[in-house]
Amino acid sequence: MWSDSLLIVFISICTAFLGEGLTWILVYRTEKYQKLKVEVERQSKKLEKRKEAHGDSLDKQHKKKIEREEERLKNNNRDLSLVKMKSMFAIGFAFTALLSMFNSIFDGRVVAKLPFYPISWIQGLSHRNLSGDDYTDCSFIFLYILCTMSIRQNIQKLLGFAPSRAASKQGGALFAPPPAQFK
Amino acid sequence: MSSKNKSLDGANKIKVSESVWKKTLTANAEWPDKEEFLDVIYWMRQAIGIILGLCWGLLPLKGIVGLLLFVVVNAAVIYFYVNNFQSIDEEEYGGMWEITKEGFMTSFAGFLVTWIIMYTGLHGNDSL
């Protein structure tokens, strides 16, 4: 059982590197992506600073400027996600195939013993395709998801591919309804 | 020329990472770059997650107690580090909640993986 769980950790490390490598080849190293990324980051930081400085002021000119910059940032962000999207689809397909292959290899096998009873809506995942009523038995998919959650993000951050905080903060705000003062 | 620049870049990077380590371990250090401080918090969280996972697996701690104790210890260490050791003004970072959130899910996942694996290897045949 232990060798199975260690093997799953190893598999998820490999797939995380493979995924990042493929994304690097298809996206990160392209000039278009790099240009857009720098641009989005620069604009996000600028916008944040401007908002901090004039957040409460009612000056119409400032508001208009901020609005215009937000619009520009929005467009750049959209372009950035478009550049990413195509390759993400390709990688997504490849990984679904890989996952189903591993799923069939580990089908019905208890790969680990959980030190806790999972709550009911997680049991479907942690006890997937396992026989018996012992819910502390762990299936492949649950351990794989946990490994991927921790390993993939750390690798992204380590290699510097994770989006910067300023960009994701501004990006997140773009999908929210605009605040009343900017309407 | 470009190789010279590259080697200079590398040297600079090493210097920067050295100073980050130094700042991390110095009480009340200056953090002009917010991102840098949040990165330190992030990686500290990951290390805490893995260390606690190893400890909980070795002990072994089980059930909801293990999960809750992780959340409490993790938050407490970061809170203590930010407030007492570095004396950071949390409002600058958007409140304590923003700092508490930083890298929590990833650290939780890392903790679960190490806890489950240690527990499986050492106590896999025990019943809960």
Side-chain angles (χ1 to χ4, degrees):
Chain A
M1 197 151 55
W2 207 14
S3 54
D4 277 349
S5 33
L6 291 176
L7 182 65
I8 291 170
V9 174
F10 181 69
I11 288 172
S12 59
I13 292 174
C14 290
T15 47
F17 270 112
L18 189 72
E20 286 312 302
L22 277 176
T23 326
W24 183 78
I25 291 172
L26 293 170
V27 184
Y28 298 143
R29 70 181 183 139
T30 58
E31 208 174 306
K32 197 175 173 193
Y33 173 84
Q34 282 174 356
K35 236 191 230 166
L36 274 171
K37 198 186 170 197
V38 170
E39 188 67 12
V40 163
E41 232 144 78
R42 199 180 53 86
Q43 279 180 340
S44 305
K45 276 193 183 148
K46 206 168 133 193
L47 193 63
E48 204 173 345
K49 261 190 200 153
R50 203 173 272 244
K51 269 187 182 170
E52 260 172 33
H54 306 286
D56 298 325
S57 81
L58 294 165
D59 191 353
K60 259 194 179 165
Q61 229 179 350
H62 281 307
K63 264 197 240 167
K64 264 216 174 122
K65 255 187 198 168
I66 291 179
E67 233 170 290
R68 218 176 305 141
E69 263 175 39
E70 264 185 346
E71 194 61 37
R72 217 177 304 152
L73 181 62
K74 212 191 224 171
N75 286 340
N76 276 338
N77 247 337
R78 201 190 47 210
D79 288 348
L80 195 65
S81 28
L82 267 180
V83 171
K84 270 192 200 166
M85 194 132 78
K86 273 184 240 157
S87 67
M88 288 297 166
F89 266 122
I91 292 167
F93 274 119
F95 275 80
T96 317
L98 262 180
L99 189 68
S100 63
M101 185 187 89
F102 289 128
N103 232 342
S104 60
I105 292 175
F106 288 101
D107 193 34
R109 255 177 45 198
V110 178
V111 299
K113 199 84 180 158
L114 297 177
F116 54 89
Y117 277 111
I119 44 175
S120 56
W121 54 275
I122 290 183
Q123 279 171 9
L125 210 61
S126 69
H127 207 69
R128 178 155 294 192
N129 290 341
L130 297 184
S131 54
D133 288 335
D134 186 359
Y135 284 107
T136 58
D137 287 346
C138 177
S139 68
F140 159 77
I141 195 81
F142 185 63
L143 193 60
Y144 181 77
I145 288 175
L146 281 180
C147 286
T148 308
M149 262 170 78
S150 64
I151 292 167
R152 182 117 200 239
Q153 204 175 338
N154 281 337
I155 286 178
Q156 265 185 352
K157 212 163 161 71
L158 209 60
L159 299 176
F161 294 151
S164 81
R165 288 188 187 83
S168 51
K169 204 171 157 192
Q170 294 296 338
L174 291 174
F175 296 109
Q181 57 170 345
F182 292 128
K183 268 184 186 166
Chain B
M1 182 72 188
S2 69
S3 68
K4 205 176 177 184
N5 273 345
K6 263 187 189 167
S7 68
L8 271 178
D9 249 24
N12 277 343
K13 260 188 191 166
I14 291 169
K15 256 190 195 166
V16 167
S17 66
E18 257 177 25
S19 74
V20 170
W21 275 105
K22 216 173 162 186
K23 272 199 276 187
T24 308
L25 300 171
T26 317
N28 303 324
E30 289 277 324
W31 295 94
D33 188 1
K34 281 186 197 176
E35 292 275 315
E36 205 175 70
F37 181 67
L38 286 175
D39 278 347
V40 168
I41 296 285
Y42 179 91
W43 289 114
M44 201 182 269
R45 269 258 154 79
Q46 308 313 311
I48 293 171
I50 288 171
I51 293 166
L52 289 185
L54 287 175
C55 295
W56 278 204
L58 283 170
L59 281 174
L61 273 179
K62 295 180 204 170
I64 190 88
V65 180
L67 289 169
L68 285 180
L69 213 56
F70 163 76
V71 176
V72 170
V73 172
N74 191 322
V77 170
I78 295 296
Y79 188 83
F80 179 81
Y81 179 76
V82 170
N83 269 332
N84 296 33
F85 191 71
Q86 294 286 2
S87 310
I88 294 286
D89 177 18
E90 62 213 38
E91 287 310 316
E92 266 182 48
Y93 294 87
M96 198 61 210
W97 180 239
E98 284 296 318
I99 298 177
T100 318
K101 245 176 23 185
E102 182 62 38
F104 178 78
M105 271 324 279
T106 329
S107 125
F108 187 57
F111 159 74
L112 281 180
V113 170
T114 37
W115 187 26
I116 290 170
I117 286 175
M118 286 307 285
Y119 183 82
T120 305
L122 300 174
H123 314 277
N125 299 323
D126 306 356
S127 63
L128 205 62

